[in-house]
């Protein structure tokens, strides 16, 4: 596996699945690259493991009401980014566990989407302090192997269009373990902002609530001499 | 424990907790008696173990949206009946399990409400085909003993107003194991209907959707020569 | 629901699922009636929850080898009885638990077989000393309700031919709680014996190993004045 | 199995195991009969599933200190009754669950004690309001079948003196489901009281704290015209 | 976050919680710095996740007796060090699991202590061979995020003095992943020894049993040219 | 612990246990060194945590039949390599979890084999994409500490020949975290191939199916100037 450091790392991607933990993770972390690929015609599938149902400091939300709101926000953002289909695996925010049930849910998505490429959280980044992020990345990684085996949860293969897991590439985001790919997202940044702001429950003041994102992406951009960048680390698979 | 067969069975009740499985269980099963007690000044607490979040045949609902709707319906019904406080324990409909977590959640309610009386599903009725009903009743019964012990989940006793479990009486509903108490609810039946109809997601055609309830309560009424009755079975406690 | 006491109880059955615990349960308990229905053209599905993989006193078997043997014996018996399809849910013998996973596995079978009728162990028979039998019956009963709801495990509904659970009738076997149906199986008893003997690992001496079965069925037969009978108890559903 | 109604029901017992939930259960429920059998030379094994570690209203006990105290009290009582060996399975009081782990722990005891007879709580008594009692009885009953199978937890069979489960008789106590055996324990009642009072943490006022026990045993005695009796229900096994 | 390498790293600490696995972890690892902070007036809370109840080679201890002994030793050490309050979460030694229950227990402590600073085991140190240490550190880290959210286990917020999690700083101990803070504890080492020796069940020969600790702390001291040092690694939080 | 970089690292090994995940892991990863030690007279114990029961793309295998086949293949390979005893812990392939049950199973093996040395998967290698490998290594590492304590699962110590865990050395394989030991296995490579090919279900084309193994071992060999090598990383224990 040669090291590819730019968009060419994704040249062969035709069907991409992004496994995140919360509604708004995809948008604020890698929406720029998602959008670039979507425009190129890549089929993009988004899976959030949790409902994001503790994600508020507002006293008026019940958990189901917040979850319901965030499902709608996810759909709105998906339309902006050209995501083909979104999935929510229904777990509770702040309590995601990388257990066999979650593994099977994600393996099912690999099979019914026939994704060739996975993006997910780096479960091995020791600076990752959100347990849901680690759990999502771990389960997504651990679903890779069994998804390829016909005797693993064979009923999943009965669903329309399902096939054996056929992921060929895995990339981690949210990592500082030597990310090897930096993507210039400057010219699609307006769309990234728009998709992120679709999560109104999270960013009530719009762009003002997203200064942290711009700062982080700007810092990444500096590494490759552009205004905004997103970064990835490729995982060796066999 | 003498057998009491009418409203005198509840003469000493001052604080009543009703542990049910789904929003609308309390209303359709025992709202008449609840309302009679509420009018008399009894403090009434209602606990639903599940969100009722599979309770629809309509394709447009997501589970969180349905849950959110039903929480609101529960509040509306509670206002009609004079229920002081409602609790929802947040479990998924169709998947309630009488495990130690649920037991602890219910024991906490016994302690923070200082209820003296419990009504819940008969977990031993062999004709009970809804697993959530059995689980709710079982957990409610099993929470009784430990709720009285100071070394059981002692942090619960720190909450404002909490005390050691002080339930003195337990009654089962939804039973055909020789119910010993039949309550005439004829004159409050309009209120029972109104409270039940507050669950619009369940009874979209209003009273027409509740013919089964009226039929069942009428059949119970025949046993004591009234139009509508609700029935209970007393549990011996020590 | 009128009480039906003979074969007319099964007159409307078109698709029958039998949920048992071990390979050979169906055969030794109700194979006579199964065969009568199969001959009439009823589609019959057999589900064993466990692999039966501790079912031997022979020291040479490993658990997987015994399981593999018993899967083959199950197929052989199914061919004798005219069973359309067998399922094995893969759990370990002696350790079946009526948990949510088993419930979901069984609900899936109700949906993909479109069975209208269920036969299973009576989970409430207090004389039932085999925990796997109780667990199988409990899980089968508890799967009934959620199988009918579209928001319960919706991915199951994607499988070819799957539909919402449409069970209309549930009958328990292995019960002494007033079984209400006695079926004369005298004229198909040879087939019952043959199907049972297909489980060679269990009945190494053939018919001689099955005297207990004949004795039990003979005793049931005496109740209705025939040589051999099988018995069932109908469950009220709503 | 003929119905035996007195001490002759235990004539063939050589090795008895009593599976209870808490320290003091055996003593207050069936110590009279235990002592009669012990005097006759029966080897008696006592197993308590929980540590009894919430069993106090005294604020000064920590849970481990209470557990430690009760283990010592159990030994003292065992010496009074002639119990050969006591086991404590280490679970927490008020939270006993009849899961596979508990089943395996109890099956191990059947195997290493080579007990031929089991006494335990009736798990099917619907008036049993202590969840630990139900769990202990359920797990003890459910351990019976697998304990007889060589492929079930085979490492247990390596322990010195261990053999395949060889229980031949099971009796329930704490039941009102037609107990069929009443044992006169009048002449050993002093010993029962002494053994019970060995649980000082539970009965700080000695015999005065045990009036309820005397009342219950007296009521049972009235059935057979003696001062004090203990009662059992035999379970059919195969 | 500037790198601070000495005691100034703790200048702003007002309320410190130390989450360890076993009684004696805090004492032998960081008691010197704890004592320095306690003397300065910092409120210090100590939480041990396990009872330490397998921590002996002496055959005479039962697990509850050992647990009880170690709770007392913990109190004695706390008094020496000026720790305000100790908590023991009651898990079994050698079997601590970083599950959601433990996470919730620790989040509760963050909330009821209003701690601003956490010290715990580095869960990512690949040389950590004690699974309890890893589990304690992981759960303590993972409790940080949800403790800040009002919809996470909201009942915890009802306890007197409880507030939303307000940890601002996290430090790992027991790490060799580039610890950045070395604290000179030479002048308080007598107190560290005294607190450690309060755990008599662990160090029966007193200071002689603690040579390993002195060796380790001496080696750390050499890095900054003092006799004894303790070391920490700061975690970036957001 | 001085760094040893060749076979002298294993000079003191007398009883070696290898904990792997699947049948064929030991053979394809470290069979060369295993065989070298076996020839020297080391007692070698092999433990596979899973049955390898999804390890096929052939549609004709059931899971139990595949498991049974692979148990036999494991025995055949063991005979080739001179392994004294093989253990299979019975878990399902693709679903191994490093939970307390697995930890206890492995601790038991440490105790009944009296192994002084452990080889297992590096659970901390971030390039390890097979979740079963990580789980096996993690559980094997985590079993080390408790296996040494008499109060941990004391019934294990009753088995014939069992003693307290006495592992003195732990080595990881399948790692790229600076492996410090490279073993020349060139002259035993035929045996490694033969043992690997004993797993016919996995390598149906014999040596041709093992080119990847030869490539990997050749690459390792280049580091120390030999044709084939195997590599290990030593873990510091205390």
């Amino acid at each position: 596996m040669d090291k590819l450091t730019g968009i060419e790392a994704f040249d062969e991607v035709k069907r991409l699945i992004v496994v995140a933990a919360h509604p708004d993770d995809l948008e604020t972390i890698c929406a720029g690259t998602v959008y670039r690929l979507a425009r190129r015609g890549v089929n993009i599938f988004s899976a959030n493991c949790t409902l994001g149902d503790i994600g508020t400091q507002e006293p008026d939300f019940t958990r189901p009401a917040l979850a319901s709101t965030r499902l709608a926000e996810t759909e709105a953002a998906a339309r902006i980014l050209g995501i083909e289909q979104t999935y929510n695996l229904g777990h509770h925010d702040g309590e995601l566990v990388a257990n066999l049930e979650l593994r099977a849910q994600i393996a099912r998505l690999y099979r019914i989407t026939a994704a060739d490429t996975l993006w997910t959280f780096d479960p091995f980044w020791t600076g990752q302090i959100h347990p849901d992020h680690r759990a999502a990345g771990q389960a997504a990684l651990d679903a890779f192997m069994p998804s390829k085996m016909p005797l693993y949860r064979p009923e999943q293969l009965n669903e329309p269009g399902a096939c054996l897991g056929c992921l060929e590439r895995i990339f981690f985001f949210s990592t500082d373990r030597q990310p090897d790919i930096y993507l210039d997202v400057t010219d699609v940044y307006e769309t990234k902002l728009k998709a992120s702001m679709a999560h109104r429950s999270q960013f009530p003041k719009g762009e003002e609530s997203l200064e942290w994102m711009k700062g982080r992406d700007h810092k990444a951009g500096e590494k490759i001499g552009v205004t905004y960048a997103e970064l990835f680390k490729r995982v060796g698979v066999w």
Side-chain angles (χ1 to χ4, degrees), chain A:
Chain A
M1 173 173 95
D2 291 328
K3 285 247 166 159
L4 302 170
T5 60
I7 191 70
E8 72 281 7
F10 302 131
D11 271 359
E12 293 171 44
V13 178
K14 291 210 176 60
R15 301 175 74 77
L16 167 68
I17 187 165
V18 184
V19 176
H22 312 96
D24 86 5
D25 284 344
L26 177 151
E27 290 79 354
T28 58
I29 296 171
C30 58
T33 316
V34 161
Y35 185 57
R36 286 186 65 180
L37 297 193
R39 277 196 315 194
R40 201 185 75 201
V42 172
N43 298 94
I44 297 178
F45 306 93
S46 146
N48 291 324
C49 296
T50 80
L51 294 160
D53 56 344
I54 61 169
T56 189
Q57 300 284 338
E58 299 230 356
D60 292 343
F61 268 121
T62 64
R63 290 179 69 142
L66 178 58
S68 185
T69 296
R70 299 193 72 176
L71 287 173
E73 291 171 350
T74 302
E75 289 308 313
R79 280 191 298 271
I80 292 166
L81 293 173
I83 288 171
E84 185 169 326
Q85 178 81 40
T86 67
Y87 300 94
N88 189 294
L89 302 181
H91 297 275
H92 288 307
D93 190 0
E95 307 198 293
L96 189 65
V97 177
N99 57 19
L100 296 182
E101 183 199 357
L102 182 60
R103 187 186 297 180
Q105 287 181 298
I106 295 175
R108 175 179 168 261
L109 296 186
Y110 297 164
R111 290 166 158 191
I112 65 172
T113 63
D116 53 51
T117 304
L118 164 67
W119 294 357
T120 193
F121 281 99
D122 181 358
F124 303 119
W125 175 33
T126 57
Q128 178 55 268
I129 60 174
H130 201 311
D132 291 349
H133 293 181
R134 248 184 283 115
Q138 190 72 67
L141 180 64
D142 291 354
F144 166 72
M145 273 283 176
S147 75
K148 295 176 174 294
M149 310 305 286
L151 288 172
Y152 176 77
R153 311 265 168 157
E155 70 282 4
Q156 295 177 348
L157 299 169
N158 296 342
E159 294 192 48
C163 57
L164 278 185
C166 54
L167 283 179
E168 293 167 32
R169 293 163 220 94
I170 301 177
F171 298 87
F172 290 147
F173 50 68
S174 277
T175 184
D176 70 351
R177 295 191 308 127
Q178 301 167 282
D180 35 31
I181 300 164
Y182 283 81
L183 263 294
D184 181 1
V185 293
T186 311
D187 68 340
V188 294
Y189 212 73
E190 279 309 301
T191 305
K192 178 170 188 172
L193 277 166
K194 213 169 135 200
S196 296
M197 287 186 293
H199 294 275
R200 272 183 213 142
S201 68
Q202 305 305 300
F203 311 116
K205 301 185 186 168
E207 197 166 335
E208 193 184 327
S209 303
L210 286 158
E211 287 304 315
W212 62 272
M213 178 180 88
K214 288 160 74 175
R216 184 202 57 198
D217 293 349
H218 189 63
K219 205 167 138 195
E222 283 174 352
K223 298 269 184 138
I224 54 168
V226 302
T227 311
Y228 295 115
E230 291 171 353
L231 53 80
F232 298 88
K233 178 179 181 63
R234 184 155 189 179
V235 183
V237 299
W238 67 76

